[in-house]
């Protein structure tokens, strides 16, 4: 059936009307837990091809920690980076919560008419957690710009002091909310993250803590004072204490500074670095190293980077922690472009896939690092990896159990003419470690450098098991793997192609080196000599 242009126009109008009509309405007002949950469910229903709603956990008050994932990239696409945005970890810092809801609205309603939004959704997975502390938000008070209820969770614990800490032991008990974040990070490979706060106007980057032996009395005062959680971090200190502390520099300091500058310089006022009140200080360019502002233990920012290789910065987006409703439109306008540009930074640097050189199957490892940068990152469950890097020449170092370590040189070029950032792609092929196993009598001897206890050495499986013969040297290809199950035993696993009736054998190992062979041979010689002497005596 032919459709003339009038009919076509009519159909498009109907579709457009239905689309607009079905888009959930989002006003500039604060949404309590049930309103926020309803909005996210409505969005997931209205845009099933662009969104995925899931919960990463539940609070003491049985509030779910909802995440809405935004992306139009097919699940099967390789190399799509995951970015996460979190707000409201401090329940009384409320502006970020509403800004992230408006970001969701902006993405889904501008997919077809905003080129940047379209490109980001096609090429990025954006996970949005509007409230990490819904229990705290429920008791916080609009208009309270500094001290106010709701900063902590329902157990009165500051969530941004409750994560495992690399620098200091953190004895605070794990909270439902922090455990949910830890699990979320363990089950996903996030490349980039931001946590939205209020009470200042600055982009704060790692590290936010320092090694214990560099702490002085002032650091301790700041972290142990009851006031530190309730007031501006400087307000209880004498004026000379408002000077910056020494920065705590991370191996990726250049990247973190870049990320902070991207946000602050795109924000219309953050880059001025003006203090929010006379007790605070200026931030040059609107950015600061976390520890240089004030060091803290158990923060989420350092935890992301050190424990999971995810680059997270902290965005203080409003001088007032809980601004009045009528300030929300301005706050959204101020942060919209900065958020879009920040998300796009996930496409700066290097990415690729790590595979087995022989089987071409993905290799999973947490042993990835850029040479000269003492910070590790890991692959996804499909062997993909990402790392944000500034233009330059680097070497990727890859270590994975059962494979020979690899070092690959690559270049991240200066921004090209294309509108969007384009990362350098690396395919990394890992050659499996090859070892020889020697069978002498009922013993298996690994000639050199046996793996540590319980570690695994993988072999290429190309031949079938031919049985164990005294003194016969077996090709590594006969086994899929050799696993040390204790210091005394080696477990041989047959290849998949091997005779399925042949049982696995547990064989003792006396020594892993040539000394073992020597010692075994000597034993037989001693026994033979004893028999020979006995026969001589007998005759
Ligand atoms: Zn905060």
């Amino acid at each position: 059936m032919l459709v003339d242009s009038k009919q076509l126009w009519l159909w498009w109008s109907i579709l457009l009307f239905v689309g607009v009509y079905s888009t959930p309405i989002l006003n500039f007002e604060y949404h309590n837990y049930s309103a926020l949950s309803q909005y996210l469910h409505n969005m997931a229903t209205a845009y099933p091809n662009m969104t995925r709603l899931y919960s990463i956990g539940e609070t003491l008050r049985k509030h779910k920690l909802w995440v809405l994932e935004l992306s139009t990239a097919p699940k099967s696409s390789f190399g799509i980076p995951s970015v996460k945005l979190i707000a409201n970890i401090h329940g009384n810092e409320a502006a970020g919560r509403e800004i992230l809801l408006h970001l969701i609205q902006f993405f889904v309603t501008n997919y077809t008419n905003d080129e940047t939004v379209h490109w980001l959704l096609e090429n990025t997975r954006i996970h949005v957690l509007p409230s990490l502390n819904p229990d705290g938000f429920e008791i916080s008070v609009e208009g309270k710009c500094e001290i106010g209820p709701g900063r902590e969770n329902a157990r009165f614990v500051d969530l941004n002091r409750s994560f495992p800490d690399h620098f200091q032991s953190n004895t605070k008990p794990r909270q439902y909310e922090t455990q949910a974040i830890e699990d979320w990070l363990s089950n996903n490979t996030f490349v980039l993250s931001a946590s939205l706060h209020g009470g200042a106007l600055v982009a704060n980057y790692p590290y936010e803590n320092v090694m214990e032996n560099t702490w002085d009395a002032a650091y301790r005062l700041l972290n142990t004072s009851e006031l530190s959680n309730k007031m501006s971090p400087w307000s209880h200190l004498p004026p000379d204490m408002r000077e910056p502390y020494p920065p705590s520099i991370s191996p990726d300091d250049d990247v973190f500074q870049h990320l902070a500058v991207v946000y602050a310089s795109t924000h219309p006022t953050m880059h001025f670095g003006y203090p929010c009140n006379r007790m605070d200080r200026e931030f040059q360019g609107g950015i600061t190293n976390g520890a240089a502002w004030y060091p803290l233990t158990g923060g989420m920012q350092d935890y992301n980077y050190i424990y999971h290789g995810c680059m997270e910065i902290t965005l203080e987006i409003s001088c007032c922690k809980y601004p009045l409703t009528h300030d929300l439109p301005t706050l959204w306008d101020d942060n919209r472009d900065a958020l879009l540009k920040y998300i796009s930074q996930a496409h700066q640097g290097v990415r690729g896939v790590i595979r087995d050189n022989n089987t071409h199957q993905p290799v999973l490892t947490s042993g990835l690092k850029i040479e000269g940068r003492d910070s590790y990152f890991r692959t996804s469950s499909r062997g993909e990896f990402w790392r944000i890097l500034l233009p330059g020449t680097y070497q990727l170092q890859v270590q994975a159990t059962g494979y020979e370590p690899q070092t690959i040189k690559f270049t991240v070029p200066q921004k090209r003419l294309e509108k969007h950032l384009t990362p350098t792609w690396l395919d990394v092929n890992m050659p499996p470690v090859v070892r020889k196993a020697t069978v002498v009598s009922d013993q298996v001897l690994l000639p050199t450098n046996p793996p540590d206890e319980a570690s695994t050495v993988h072999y290429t499986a190309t031949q079938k098991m031919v049985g164990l013969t005294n003194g016969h040297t077996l090709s590594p290809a006969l086994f899929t793997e050799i696993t040390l199950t204790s210091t005394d035993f080696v477990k041989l696993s047959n290849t998949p192609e091997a005779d399925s009736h042949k049982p696995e054998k547990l064989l003792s190992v006396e020594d892993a080196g040539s000394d073992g062979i020597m010692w075994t041979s000597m034993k037989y010689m001693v026994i033979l000599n004893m028999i020979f002497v006995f026969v001589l005596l007998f005759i």
Side-chain angles (χ1 to χ4, degrees), residues 2 42 48 75 95 105 125 137 146 190 210 250 255 298 351 371 399 417 439 487 490 497 501:
L2 286 173
N42 290 345
K75 282 275 173 276
Q105 185 89 359
R125 303 192 203 286
F137 176 80
E146 291 192 1
F190 290 110
V210 292
S250 77
V255 177
R351 71 180 61 161
E371 190 181 67
Q399 292 182 39
L417 293 176
V439 175
T487 52
V490 166
E497 298 89 352
H501 300 298

PDB file of all heavy atoms in Angstrom, residues 2 42 48 75 95 105 125 137 146 190 210 250 255 298 351 371 399 417 439 487 490 497 501:
ATOM      1  N   LEU A   2       0.616   2.130  -0.917  1.00  0.00           N
ATOM      2  CA  LEU A   2       1.400   3.355  -0.968  1.00  0.00           C
ATOM      3  C   LEU A   2       0.831   4.370   0.019  1.00  0.00           C
ATOM      4  O   LEU A   2      -0.377   4.490   0.196  1.00  0.00           O
ATOM      5  CB  LEU A   2       1.361   3.935  -2.384  1.00  0.00           C
ATOM      6  CG  LEU A   2       2.206   3.184  -3.425  1.00  0.00           C
ATOM      7  CD1 LEU A   2       1.945   3.761  -4.803  1.00  0.00           C
ATOM      8  CD2 LEU A   2       3.680   3.262  -3.070  1.00  0.00           C
ATOM      9  N   ASN A  42       8.372   5.092  35.818  1.00  0.00           N
ATOM     10  CA  ASN A  42       7.662   5.626  34.651  1.00  0.00           C
ATOM     11  C   ASN A  42       8.605   5.806  33.464  1.00  0.00           C
ATOM     12  O   ASN A  42       8.244   5.517  32.318  1.00  0.00           O
ATOM     13  CB  ASN A  42       7.016   6.972  35.001  1.00  0.00           C
ATOM     14  CG  ASN A  42       5.855   6.806  35.966  1.00  0.00           C
ATOM     15  OD1 ASN A  42       5.362   5.692  36.162  1.00  0.00           O
ATOM     16  ND2 ASN A  42       5.432   7.897  36.586  1.00  0.00           N
ATOM     17  N   PRO A  48      11.686   1.867  27.115  1.00  0.00           N
ATOM     18  CA  PRO A  48      12.301   0.552  27.381  1.00  0.00           C
ATOM     19  C   PRO A  48      13.534   0.277  26.533  1.00  0.00           C
ATOM     20  O   PRO A  48      14.369  -0.541  26.919  1.00  0.00           O
ATOM     21  CB  PRO A  48      11.170  -0.431  27.055  1.00  0.00           C
ATOM     22  CG  PRO A  48      10.274   0.309  26.123  1.00  0.00           C
ATOM     23  CD  PRO A  48      10.351   1.746  26.517  1.00  0.00           C
ATOM     24  N   LYS A  75      23.700  -4.750  23.824  1.00  0.00           N
ATOM     25  CA  LYS A  75      24.463  -5.471  24.852  1.00  0.00           C
ATOM     26  C   LYS A  75      25.667  -6.183  24.246  1.00  0.00           C
ATOM     27  O   LYS A  75      26.685  -6.390  24.901  1.00  0.00           O
ATOM     28  CB  LYS A  75      23.554  -6.496  25.538  1.00  0.00           C
ATOM     29  CG  LYS A  75      22.615  -5.874  26.565  1.00  0.00           C
ATOM     30  CD  LYS A  75      23.294  -5.727  27.921  1.00  0.00           C
ATOM     31  CE  LYS A  75      22.448  -4.966  28.918  1.00  0.00           C
ATOM     32  NZ  LYS A  75      22.580  -3.513  28.790  1.00  0.00           N
ATOM     33  N   ALA A  95      20.604  18.959  46.063  1.00  0.00           N
ATOM     34  CA  ALA A  95      20.474  19.489  44.703  1.00  0.00           C
ATOM     35  C   ALA A  95      20.875  18.450  43.657  1.00  0.00           C
ATOM     36  O   ALA A  95      20.223  18.313  42.614  1.00  0.00           O
ATOM     37  CB  ALA A  95      21.323  20.746  44.557  1.00  0.00           C
ATOM     38  N   GLN A 105      15.933  12.951  32.292  1.00  0.00           N
ATOM     39  CA  GLN A 105      14.881  13.505  31.432  1.00  0.00           C
ATOM     40  C   GLN A 105      15.488  14.094  30.153  1.00  0.00           C
ATOM     41  O   GLN A 105      14.978  13.899  29.051  1.00  0.00           O
ATOM     42  CB  GLN A 105      14.131  14.599  32.210  1.00  0.00           C
ATOM     43  CG  GLN A 105      12.929  15.180  31.492  1.00  0.00           C
ATOM     44  CD  GLN A 105      11.650  14.403  31.781  1.00  0.00           C
ATOM     45  OE1 GLN A 105      11.682  13.413  32.502  1.00  0.00           O
ATOM     46  NE2 GLN A 105      10.546  14.837  31.208  1.00  0.00           N
ATOM     47  N   ARG A 125      27.427   3.586  28.328  1.00  0.00           N
ATOM     48  CA  ARG A 125      26.399   3.114  29.267  1.00  0.00           C
ATOM     49  C   ARG A 125      26.482   4.017  30.496  1.00  0.00           C
ATOM     50  O   ARG A 125      27.490   4.026  31.204  1.00  0.00           O
ATOM     51  CB  ARG A 125      26.635   1.656  29.658  1.00  0.00           C
ATOM     52  CG  ARG A 125      26.682   0.707  28.462  1.00  0.00           C
ATOM     53  CD  ARG A 125      26.634  -0.752  28.874  1.00  0.00           C
ATOM     54  NE  ARG A 125      27.199  -1.602  27.843  1.00  0.00           N
ATOM     55  CZ  ARG A 125      26.598  -1.906  26.692  1.00  0.00           C
ATOM     56  NH1 ARG A 125      25.407  -1.415  26.431  1.00  0.00           N
ATOM     57  NH2 ARG A 125      27.188  -2.680  25.805  1.00  0.00           N
ATOM     58  N   PHE A 137      17.849  11.666  53.321  1.00  0.00           N
ATOM     59  CA  PHE A 137      17.097  12.721  52.629  1.00  0.00           C
ATOM     60  C   PHE A 137      15.712  12.910  53.240  1.00  0.00           C
ATOM     61  O   PHE A 137      15.221  14.040  53.350  1.00  0.00           O
ATOM     62  CB  PHE A 137      16.958  12.380  51.140  1.00  0.00           C
ATOM     63  CG  PHE A 137      16.120  13.369  50.389  1.00  0.00           C
ATOM     64  CD1 PHE A 137      16.652  14.581  49.974  1.00  0.00           C
ATOM     65  CD2 PHE A 137      14.783  13.108  50.115  1.00  0.00           C
ATOM     66  CE1 PHE A 137      15.877  15.512  49.297  1.00  0.00           C
ATOM     67  CE2 PHE A 137      13.997  14.029  49.444  1.00  0.00           C
ATOM     68  CZ  PHE A 137      14.544  15.235  49.032  1.00  0.00           C
ATOM     69  N   GLU A 146      23.739  24.803  55.824  1.00  0.00           N
ATOM     70  CA  GLU A 146      24.930  24.212  56.455  1.00  0.00           C
ATOM     71  C   GLU A 146      24.503  23.074  57.377  1.00  0.00           C
ATOM     72  O   GLU A 146      24.173  21.999  56.914  1.00  0.00           O
ATOM     73  CB  GLU A 146      25.730  25.291  57.177  1.00  0.00           C
ATOM     74  CG  GLU A 146      26.370  26.262  56.179  1.00  0.00           C
ATOM     75  CD  GLU A 146      27.392  27.163  56.811  1.00  0.00           C
ATOM     76  OE1 GLU A 146      27.652  27.048  58.011  1.00  0.00           O
ATOM     77  OE2 GLU A 146      27.936  28.013  56.086  1.00  0.00           O
ATOM     78  N   PHE A 190      33.381  -0.067  35.892  1.00  0.00           N
ATOM     79  CA  PHE A 190      33.118   1.344  35.610  1.00  0.00           C
ATOM     80  C   PHE A 190      34.432   2.054  35.286  1.00  0.00           C
ATOM     81  O   PHE A 190      35.451   1.839  35.937  1.00  0.00           O
ATOM     82  CB  PHE A 190      32.442   2.012  36.804  1.00  0.00           C
ATOM     83  CG  PHE A 190      31.027   1.554  37.018  1.00  0.00           C
ATOM     84  CD1 PHE A 190      30.694   0.771  38.109  1.00  0.00           C
ATOM     85  CD2 PHE A 190      30.034   1.899  36.111  1.00  0.00           C
ATOM     86  CE1 PHE A 190      29.395   0.343  38.308  1.00  0.00           C
ATOM     87  CE2 PHE A 190      28.722   1.474  36.301  1.00  0.00           C
ATOM     88  CZ  PHE A 190      28.402   0.693  37.400  1.00  0.00           C
ATOM     89  N   VAL A 210      45.742  10.606  53.132  1.00  0.00           N
ATOM     90  CA  VAL A 210      47.205  10.551  53.082  1.00  0.00           C
ATOM     91  C   VAL A 210      47.672   9.406  53.968  1.00  0.00           C
ATOM     92  O   VAL A 210      46.929   8.923  54.825  1.00  0.00           O
ATOM     93  CB  VAL A 210      47.841  11.870  53.572  1.00  0.00           C
ATOM     94  CG1 VAL A 210      47.551  12.992  52.601  1.00  0.00           C
ATOM     95  CG2 VAL A 210      47.338  12.228  54.961  1.00  0.00           C
ATOM     96  N   SER A 250      47.995  11.268  43.364  1.00  0.00           N
ATOM     97  CA  SER A 250      47.781   9.908  42.858  1.00  0.00           C
ATOM     98  C   SER A 250      48.624   9.693  41.597  1.00  0.00           C
ATOM     99  O   SER A 250      49.071  10.658  40.973  1.00  0.00           O
ATOM    100  CB  SER A 250      46.304   9.697  42.523  1.00  0.00           C
ATOM    101  OG  SER A 250      46.000  10.332  41.294  1.00  0.00           O
ATOM    102  N   VAL A 255      45.426  13.068  34.868  1.00  0.00           N
ATOM    103  CA  VAL A 255      44.085  12.747  34.368  1.00  0.00           C
ATOM    104  C   VAL A 255      43.018  13.320  35.302  1.00  0.00           C
ATOM    105  O   VAL A 255      42.034  13.919  34.855  1.00  0.00           O
ATOM    106  CB  VAL A 255      43.906  11.221  34.218  1.00  0.00           C
ATOM    107  CG1 VAL A 255      42.484  10.888  33.770  1.00  0.00           C
ATOM    108  CG2 VAL A 255      44.920  10.669  33.225  1.00  0.00           C
ATOM    109  N   GLY A 298      38.042   6.846  54.648  1.00  0.00           N
ATOM    110  CA  GLY A 298      36.830   6.080  54.337  1.00  0.00           C
ATOM    111  C   GLY A 298      35.966   6.705  53.264  1.00  0.00           C
ATOM    112  O   GLY A 298      34.779   6.386  53.159  1.00  0.00           O
ATOM    113  N   ARG A 351      41.395   1.769  25.028  1.00  0.00           N
ATOM    114  CA  ARG A 351      40.505   0.656  25.370  1.00  0.00           C
ATOM    115  C   ARG A 351      40.826  -0.509  24.446  1.00  0.00           C
ATOM    116  O   ARG A 351      41.558  -0.346  23.464  1.00  0.00           O
ATOM    117  CB  ARG A 351      39.032   1.054  25.244  1.00  0.00           C
ATOM    118  CG  ARG A 351      38.554   1.255  23.828  1.00  0.00           C
ATOM    119  CD  ARG A 351      37.094   1.653  23.748  1.00  0.00           C
ATOM    120  NE  ARG A 351      36.830   2.910  24.421  1.00  0.00           N
ATOM    121  CZ  ARG A 351      35.748   3.670  24.206  1.00  0.00           C
ATOM    122  NH1 ARG A 351      34.833   3.264  23.357  1.00  0.00           N
ATOM    123  NH2 ARG A 351      35.567   4.809  24.830  1.00  0.00           N
ATOM    124  N   GLU A 371      52.531   1.634  32.408  1.00  0.00           N
ATOM    125  CA  GLU A 371      53.891   1.698  32.938  1.00  0.00           C
ATOM    126  C   GLU A 371      54.174   3.092  33.506  1.00  0.00           C
ATOM    127  O   GLU A 371      53.843   4.109  32.893  1.00  0.00           O
ATOM    128  CB  GLU A 371      54.904   1.383  31.838  1.00  0.00           C
ATOM    129  CG  GLU A 371      56.313   1.208  32.379  1.00  0.00           C
ATOM    130  CD  GLU A 371      57.310   0.914  31.271  1.00  0.00           C
ATOM    131  OE1 GLU A 371      57.538   1.809  30.439  1.00  0.00           O
ATOM    132  OE2 GLU A 371      57.834  -0.203  31.239  1.00  0.00           O
ATOM    133  N   GLN A 399      49.276  -8.464  33.083  1.00  0.00           N
ATOM    134  CA  GLN A 399      49.627  -9.709  33.769  1.00  0.00           C
ATOM    135  C   GLN A 399      48.351 -10.498  33.993  1.00  0.00           C
ATOM    136  O   GLN A 399      47.340  -9.934  34.420  1.00  0.00           O
ATOM    137  CB  GLN A 399      50.281  -9.410  35.116  1.00  0.00           C
ATOM    138  CG  GLN A 399      51.652  -8.758  34.997  1.00  0.00           C
ATOM    139  CD  GLN A 399      52.282  -8.538  36.360  1.00  0.00           C
ATOM    140  OE1 GLN A 399      52.158  -9.367  37.241  1.00  0.00           O
ATOM    141  NE2 GLN A 399      52.932  -7.410  36.521  1.00  0.00           N
ATOM    142  N   LEU A 417      40.090  15.994  14.468  1.00  0.00           N
ATOM    143  CA  LEU A 417      39.120  16.960  13.963  1.00  0.00           C
ATOM    144  C   LEU A 417      37.688  16.541  14.270  1.00  0.00           C
ATOM    145  O   LEU A 417      36.785  17.361  14.276  1.00  0.00           O
ATOM    146  CB  LEU A 417      39.293  17.122  12.446  1.00  0.00           C
ATOM    147  CG  LEU A 417      40.621  17.771  12.026  1.00  0.00           C
ATOM    148  CD1 LEU A 417      40.740  17.785  10.509  1.00  0.00           C
ATOM    149  CD2 LEU A 417      40.719  19.195  12.576  1.00  0.00           C
ATOM    150  N   VAL A 439      57.454 -37.162  33.968  1.00  0.00           N
ATOM    151  CA  VAL A 439      56.938 -38.221  34.827  1.00  0.00           C
ATOM    152  C   VAL A 439      58.046 -39.225  35.086  1.00  0.00           C
ATOM    153  O   VAL A 439      58.635 -39.768  34.169  1.00  0.00           O
ATOM    154  CB  VAL A 439      55.735 -38.925  34.170  1.00  0.00           C
ATOM    155  CG1 VAL A 439      55.287 -40.095  35.032  1.00  0.00           C
ATOM    156  CG2 VAL A 439      54.613 -37.935  33.967  1.00  0.00           C
ATOM    157  N   THR A 487      51.312 -28.204  48.980  1.00  0.00           N
ATOM    158  CA  THR A 487      52.741 -28.110  48.695  1.00  0.00           C
ATOM    159  C   THR A 487      53.301 -29.457  48.277  1.00  0.00           C
ATOM    160  O   THR A 487      54.382 -29.536  47.735  1.00  0.00           O
ATOM    161  CB  THR A 487      53.494 -27.615  49.939  1.00  0.00           C
ATOM    162  OG1 THR A 487      53.119 -28.441  51.035  1.00  0.00           O
ATOM    163  CG2 THR A 487      53.171 -26.174  50.232  1.00  0.00           C
ATOM    164  N   VAL A 490      50.504 -32.653  43.157  1.00  0.00           N
ATOM    165  CA  VAL A 490      50.127 -32.016  41.897  1.00  0.00           C
ATOM    166  C   VAL A 490      48.927 -32.760  41.348  1.00  0.00           C
ATOM    167  O   VAL A 490      48.910 -33.985  41.309  1.00  0.00           O
ATOM    168  CB  VAL A 490      51.290 -32.081  40.882  1.00  0.00           C
ATOM    169  CG1 VAL A 490      50.789 -31.726  39.494  1.00  0.00           C
ATOM    170  CG2 VAL A 490      52.388 -31.146  41.307  1.00  0.00           C
ATOM    171  N   GLU A 497      39.682 -33.490  25.394  1.00  0.00           N
ATOM    172  CA  GLU A 497      39.622 -34.534  24.370  1.00  0.00           C
ATOM    173  C   GLU A 497      40.057 -35.892  24.902  1.00  0.00           C
ATOM    174  O   GLU A 497      39.932 -36.895  24.233  1.00  0.00           O
ATOM    175  CB  GLU A 497      40.531 -34.168  23.188  1.00  0.00           C
ATOM    176  CG  GLU A 497      40.142 -32.896  22.464  1.00  0.00           C
ATOM    177  CD  GLU A 497      40.798 -31.680  23.083  1.00  0.00           C
ATOM    178  OE1 GLU A 497      41.425 -31.819  24.145  1.00  0.00           O
ATOM    179  OE2 GLU A 497      40.672 -30.607  22.509  1.00  0.00           O
ATOM    180  N   HIS A 501      37.207 -41.861  30.586  1.00  0.00           N
ATOM    181  CA  HIS A 501      37.244 -42.867  31.647  1.00  0.00           C
ATOM    182  C   HIS A 501      38.526 -42.791  32.451  1.00  0.00           C
ATOM    183  O   HIS A 501      38.645 -43.392  33.495  1.00  0.00           O
ATOM    184  CB  HIS A 501      37.097 -44.276  31.050  1.00  0.00           C
ATOM    185  CG  HIS A 501      35.807 -44.449  30.318  1.00  0.00           C
ATOM    186  ND1 HIS A 501      34.589 -44.348  30.938  1.00  0.00           N
ATOM    187  CD2 HIS A 501      35.549 -44.680  29.009  1.00  0.00           C
ATOM    188  CE1 HIS A 501      33.624 -44.530  30.048  1.00  0.00           C
ATOM    189  NE2 HIS A 501      34.179 -44.726  28.872  1.00  0.00           N
TER     190      HIS A 501
END
